[in-house]
Amino acid sequence: MESSRGRTGYRAVFALGAFRALFTAHVISVVGDQLARVALVVLVYDRTGSPAWSALAYALTFLPALIGGPLVAGLADRYPRRTVMIVADLVRAAVVALMAWPGLPWQAVCALLIVVQLAGAPAVPARSALLPALIPDPAVMRTGIAALSTVTQLGQILGFAAGGILVGAIDPGGALLVDAVTFAASALLVAVFVPSIATTGSQSLGWWERIRAGATVVRRDAHLLVLVGYAALSGTYIVGEALAAPTPRISVAGRRPWACSSPPTPPAAPRRPSL
């Protein structure tokens, strides 16, 4: 296996212990996000019986992706990237554990899930900015980026599947507690196995100035405007997911108090024969 002078495969990048830890932590975080979404949909449908509210709750989980970048992603440039990733996972673990409290109203659970998604927004640019410091070889680093991008999609699929299995086996609160454990495990992996590297971004511009500067660059470039438009349109794919997610009724009659099932219909009384 050669370095940047020739071919570089996944074996080279996974030979680095720090990248393996970062990769595993990323997979756990992605799966945890999907676990929370599945548990939220079931919980809202259980308490409201409304597919519309369940679909709205599911759609709200994608709201932070729209506003999280401009609002909190800049924290990755203000603080050490490794610290940002650890704190983001610990905050998400604590908030998801709070969501599992049985007496919490479902509206509060939805609001807390938005907080969970917002807390994870700085971790994405922090991880991307930390990779060049962990993997000096540009070719190996590109392979690592490809591996992270690929596993993101796979992790979402596995997260939905695992979420369905967990919610089917235990109540949504238990699934949320499992989700909290995944975020805590992700933080532990980064804290123990990813070395502390002093990497912070430039502080030449403030938060609002950076947003204005970025908006100006995009506005003046027609190609960037088109790309931003495509990115906005691509977000509409969640419409089908949001409508389909609460559709199946969870029928575990008499086995789970949280089950969204209707009581069984009593058998009809036998008709008496006419004389």
Side-chain angles (χ1 to χ4, degrees), residues 4-137:
S4 58
R5 297 178 181 178
R7 296 178 301 171
T8 300
Y10 290 105
R11 185 179 301 177
V13 69
F14 280 101
L16 304 173
F19 179 80
R20 290 198 303 270
L22 201 65
F23 180 86
T24 306
H26 176 61
V27 173
I28 293 174
S29 294
V30 172
V31 172
D33 282 338
Q34 305 310 103
L35 281 175
R37 287 191 172 104
V38 173
L40 175 71
V41 169
V42 175
L43 186 147
V44 173
Y45 187 71
D46 174 42
R47 297 186 182 180
T48 65
S50 169
W53 281 117
S54 301
L56 179 61
Y58 182 84
L60 284 176
T61 64
F62 292 89
L63 179 62
L66 178 63
I67 63 176
L71 290 179
V72 295
L75 294 175
D77 289 331
R78 291 183 173 271
Y79 303 99
R81 276 66 185 260
R82 176 175 173 270
T83 303
V84 170
M85 296 173 61
I86 295 173
V87 172
D89 280 335
L90 291 178
V91 169
R92 289 190 284 182
V95 176
V96 171
L98 179 60
M99 290 167 57
W101 183 45
L104 202 64
W106 67 268
Q107 298 91 336
V109 174
C110 293
L112 288 175
L113 185 60
I114 294 178
V115 175
V116 171
Q117 302 295 322
L118 282 174
V124 177
R127 182 179 58 251
S128 299
L130 187 62
L131 281 177
L134 294 177
I135 312 174
D137 191 322

Side-chain angles (χ1 to χ4, degrees), residues 147-177:
L148 290 171
S149 300
T150 302
V151 81
T152 297
Q153 304 299 325
L154 181 60
Q156 290 176 350
I157 297 173
L158 293 176
F160 276 127
I165 293 172
L166 279 176
V167 172
I170 58 179
D171 56 46
L176 289 172
L177 288 177

